[in-house]
Amino acid sequence: MALHVPKAPGFASMLKDGARAYSGLEEAVYRNINACKEFANSVRSAYGPNGMNKMIINHIEKQFVTSDAGTIMRELDVEHPAAKLMIEASQMQEAEAGDGTNFVVVFCGALLEEAEELLRLGVTSSDITEGYEKALQKTLDILPTVTCHEIKDYRSLLPVRNAIRATVMSKQLGNEDFLADLIAKACISIMPEKTTFNVDNIRVCKILGSGLQMSEVIPGMVFKRFVEGDVTSATKAKIALYSCPVDIIQTETKGTVLIKSAEELKTFSQGEENLLEAQIKAIVDTGATVIVAGAKFGDMALHYMNKYGLMAVRLNSKFDLRRLSKAVNGTVLPRLTPPSTEELGYCDNVFVHELGDTSVTIFKSDGTESRIATVVIRGSTDNYMDDIERVVDDGVNTFKGLTRDARFLPGAGAVEIELAQQLSEFADTLPGLEQYAVRKFAKALEFFPKALAENSGVNATEVVHQLYLAHKQGKKTEGFDIESEQPATVDVTTKNIFDLYTTKYWGLKYAVGAACTILKVDEIIMAKRAGGPKPRAGHPGSDDES
C-alpha cells in the first residue's frame, strides 16, 4: 500500500494537485505591481509626438511597426492577469473615446508605482485605494474649470482642423497639418443635419505608391478592384444591387432532362440563354446603368450586360455591399429580379481610375451631402499606410467626441501639471492617511510631461520644475515645448495643442479603476490546467517564479 502524504493546510488542501496559491504583499501584491510597471514602461516610451515605434510580430507572423498603444496591446498576447486588467481598461477607453489608450496604461502604471512606495512604508492598500478614489473625484471636479477652448461650429473647417491637430501630431509629427486638414474635410463633408455622426461612414482605402502628400478625400466609396465587363464608366448612374450571383439561376431541386437529338440540346440551352437575356433586359428597362453584385458574374450574363451597356462591379465583402447601398441610397436584393424605382441607388459618377499601378472603381457623389467619404492614403510601404490609417481613425474619433462635447483642455502636459498642483493643495486639507495617496496621485500625473520630455531627449526634472513655476504664476495653459532643444515651456493655445475633454475624463476614470482593482487583490489562486499548456516563464504559476 502506497504511503499517504497529507496535503498542506490552506488552499492546497482544497484544490487539485499542482494548483498554486500566492498571498500577502510579497507574493501577490508586489508581483502584480511589478508586472504592470514593466508593461506600462514599455508603452511609455511610445507616448507623445516623439514617442518611439514598436515592432510587433504577432502569433500569425504579421508584422506591425507603430507607436499606437491600442494596436500594440491588441497584438501582444499578454498572459499576466494583472497586466490584462490594465489592457481591458485601455480597451474600454478605445471603445468609449477612440483615443487615449496609452494615457490609461501609463497613468495606471504610474499610480501602481507610487502605491508600491506607500505599501512599503506600511500604508494599507485599502487606505491607498480610498485616497485614489477621493483624488479622482476631486480631479473630475477640477477638470471642467481648466478647459481652455471650445468649438462653437463643428461644420467650420479651420476650428475643427486646429482641434484634431494635436491628436494627429502625437502619431505623425511633421505631417499633422496635412493629415488634420484631410480628416477635417472628410468628417465635415458627411456630417448629417439631424442625426449623429457615424465613425463608420469614413472609409480608408490604402494604395501603395507615391507619397503621403498625394492622399486625398473622395466623397463616396473607392474599391480596389476592376470592373467585370467592358463598360468602365457611367454618369448619373442608377445602380441595382444584388447579394446573389448574376448568372443562370440554378434550380432548387435536382431534375433529369432526357435529350434525344442535337436539335433538342440546342433548344434547351437556347431557352436558358433567352431567360437570362430577358432578366438582364428587365433590369435595363428599369433605368439601371450599373449592376453591383456580392457574388460572381457568369460569362453569359456579362455578354448580355455588355450588349445592353451595363457596367458590372463585383464586391467580395458583404459589409462593403451594405455600405455602398447606404452611400447610394439603394436596396440590396437577394434574387436577380428587376428593382423598383425605390430600390435603385443613385450616384453622380461611377468610373474606373488608375492610381499608381492599382486599378480602382470609384463611386463619387457630387452632391453637398454625401453619406460616406473615403480617405485615399498613398504611401511607400504597407506598414506606413497602416500607421496613417490608425491616425485617421484617432482623428475621426476625436471629431465624433467634439460633436458630443466640444470642450478642450490644454495639451502638452499642461492640464496634468495644473491638476497635480491643485491636488497637492487639496491633500493638505485631508486629515487621514488618504492624504498620502492623494499626494502620490498628484505625483503620478507628473509622469506625462516627464514622458514627453524623456522621449524628446530633454531633462525631465527640469521641465517639470519649469511647468510648476509657470502654473504657480497662474499660467494654466503652459505646457512642454516639444520643438525646443532645451527644457522650455510654451502657451499651448498659441500652438493649437489641445486634448479633448471627454478623452481625458474617461482616461482618468478607467486608469484609476484598473489601479484600484489591482491594489485590492491580495491573493492569486491558480487552478491547475487540465491538460492545458504549461504556464509561461515569468507568469504566476510557473516554476521559475517560486
Side-chain angles (χ1 to χ4, degrees):
M1 196 174 97
L3 181 68
H4 173 69
V5 180
K7 285 185 179 179
F11 269 113
S13 62
M14 299 182 223
L15 302 172
K16 277 185 182 177
D17 286 333
R20 288 161 179 253
Y22 302 94
S23 63
L25 282 176
E26 287 298 333
E27 276 198 328
V29 182
Y30 292 148
R31 181 175 288 193
N32 282 348
I33 289 173
N34 282 332
C36 294
K37 263 166 48 182
E38 287 295 320
F39 186 71
N41 285 339
S42 68
V43 292
R44 189 174 154 194
S45 61
Y47 185 75
N50 288 329
M52 305 297 281
N53 282 345
K54 308 282 179 218
M55 186 182 283
I56 298 135
I57 295 149
N58 68 3
H59 62 289
I60 55 167
E61 300 291 314
K62 190 179 176 191
Q63 183 180 305
F64 296 83
V65 179
T66 181
S67 63
D68 179 46
T71 307
I72 294 167
M73 284 177 275
R74 202 164 38 249
E75 299 308 326
L76 283 178
D77 193 13
V78 175
E79 277 231 344
H80 197 286
K84 265 187 179 171
L85 280 170
M86 286 170 84
I87 290 171
E88 281 166 15
S90 113
Q91 284 169 347
M92 282 302 298
Q93 171 75 1
E94 178 81 37
E96 187 68 50
D99 194 14
T101 46
N102 208 344
F103 178 89
V104 173
V105 176
V106 172
F107 191 45
C108 185
L111 288 171
L112 292 170
E113 197 171 317
E114 296 300 329
E116 188 178 8
E117 286 181 32
L118 291 178
L119 287 167
R120 293 194 190 281
L121 289 170
V123 182
T124 62
S125 54
S126 58
D127 281 330
I128 296 169
T129 53
E130 206 175 301
Y132 278 175
E133 278 158 9
K134 261 191 184 171
L136 173 67
Q137 196 50 55
K138 181 68 178 171
T139 305
L140 298 181
D141 291 343
I142 298 167
L143 213 56
T145 66
V146 291
T147 54
C148 67
H149 181 63
E150 190 168 352
I151 290 182
K152 298 285 187 284
D153 178 18
Y154 47 73
R155 292 177 194 278
S156 178
L157 184 65
L158 193 64
V160 169
R161 196 191 76 174
N162 290 342
I164 62 177
R165 188 174 170 272
T167 305
V168 176
M169 194 187 199
S170 67
K171 304 274 190 311
Q172 281 292 323
L173 184 62
N175 298 319
E176 65 272 10
D177 289 323
F178 174 74
L179 283 169
D181 205 38
L182 214 62
I183 296 162
K185 274 181 193 165
C187 293
I188 290 166
S189 70
I190 65 149
M191 184 68 205
E193 287 293 335
K194 291 172 186 161
T195 53
T196 54
F197 178 79
N198 185 0
V199 173
D200 203 40
N201 288 351
I202 301 285
R203 308 305 306 157
V204 171
C205 182
K206 297 171 286 187
I207 294 169
L208 205 60
S210 194
L212 179 65
Q213 300 298 319
M214 296 302 290
S215 303
E216 59 181 323
V217 176
I218 292 174
M221 292 197 78
V222 179
F223 300 103
K224 275 204 287 187
R225 52 188 312 111
F226 199 70
V227 290
E228 298 290 311
D230 295 341
V231 184
T232 56
S233 67
T235 51
K236 295 188 177 173
K238 289 186 177 175
I239 302 165
L241 301 124
Y242 296 100
S243 57
C244 61
V246 179
D247 201 357
I248 295 165
I249 298 168
Q250 301 289 324
T251 53
E252 287 180 18
T253 55
K254 285 186 178 178
T256 307
V257 179
L258 186 63
I259 293 170
K260 293 177 181 174
S261 66
E263 197 59 42
E264 282 182 8
L265 180 62
K266 277 173 75 178
T267 314
F268 179 76
S269 59
Q270 188 70 42
E272 277 195 320
E273 288 168 19
N274 290 345
L275 182 66
L276 184 60
E277 185 175 6
Q279 285 176 321
I280 301 290
K281 181 82 170 65
I283 294 168
V284 173
D285 291 343
T286 62
T289 50
V290 180
I291 292 183
V292 179
K296 73 184 180 83
F297 284 87
D299 292 339
M300 188 59 66
L302 280 175
H303 165 72
Y304 289 122
M305 286 174 72
N306 291 336
K307 179 181 172 182
Y308 290 110
L310 276 173
M311 187 175 176
V313 181
R314 181 184 173 185
L315 301 179
N316 286 337
S317 163
K318 64 178 181 184
F319 299 108
D320 278 345
L321 189 64
R322 204 177 295 165
R323 287 187 193 105
L324 181 64
S325 72
K326 191 177 174 185
V328 299
N329 201 18
T331 307
V332 180
L333 302 171
R335 292 181 67 240
L336 199 62
T337 51
S340 66
T341 315
E342 292 77 30
E343 289 166 340
L344 278 171
Y346 175 81
C347 188
D348 293 306
N349 283 301
V350 183
F351 58 97
V352 174
H353 188 53
E354 200 165 281
L355 292 167
D357 60 351
T358 310
S359 293
V360 292
T361 303
I362 299 174
F363 289 78
K364 191 173 184 181
S365 304
D366 297 331
T368 50
E369 196 175 305
S370 170
R371 288 161 175 257
I372 287 185
T374 303
V375 180
V376 177
I377 296 171
R378 306 300 307 278
S380 52
T381 65
D382 286 324
N383 267 319
Y384 179 65
M385 290 193 295
D386 288 344
D387 219 24
I388 300 294
E389 185 181 8
R390 292 180 201 112
V391 173
V392 172
D393 184 52
D394 284 350
V396 171
N397 275 298
T398 302
F399 181 81
K400 185 186 180 181
L402 74 87
T403 60
R404 292 175 178 171
D405 187 340
R407 288 177 292 174
F408 282 85
L409 298 159
V415 68
E416 285 86 359
I417 291 293
E418 183 60 33
L419 290 170
Q421 185 182 305
Q422 294 199 34
L423 280 174
S424 298
E425 291 165 8
F426 171 65
D428 296 336
T429 65
L430 296 171
L433 281 172
E434 62 262 31
Q435 64 173 292
Y436 296 107
V438 175
R439 277 205 184 86
K440 289 294 184 189
F441 190 101
K443 202 173 173 195
L445 284 164
E446 292 174 13
F447 273 62
F448 294 101
K450 276 183 181 173
L452 288 172
E454 282 166 8
N455 294 343
S456 305
V458 176
N459 186 326
T461 315
E462 182 64 30
V463 166
V464 172
H465 173 69
Q466 287 191 18
L467 284 171
Y468 269 123
L469 200 65
H471 283 254
K472 283 267 194 310
Q473 293 165 0
K475 298 175 184 173
K476 290 186 178 184
T477 56
E478 205 73 13
F480 167 56
D481 185 3
I482 211 155
E483 289 166 1
S484 169
E485 290 179 14
Q486 301 298 321
T489 63
V490 66
D491 184 355
V492 294
T493 53
T494 61
K495 298 268 186 180
N496 293 323
I497 304 168
F498 303 117
D499 288 341
L500 189 64
Y501 175 84
T502 49
T503 304
K504 201 68 80 179
Y505 176 88
W506 289 108
L508 287 161
K509 273 192 130 173
Y510 288 131
V512 175
C516 290
T517 306
I518 292 162
L519 286 171
K520 283 174 184 170
V521 172
D522 74 331
E523 206 156 346
I524 305 169
I525 303 149
M526 304 283 294
K528 187 187 178 189
R529 300 182 191 185
K534 204 177 169 192
R536 292 187 185 180
H539 181 268
S542 61
D543 293 323
D544 69 328
E545 281 213 343
S546 54

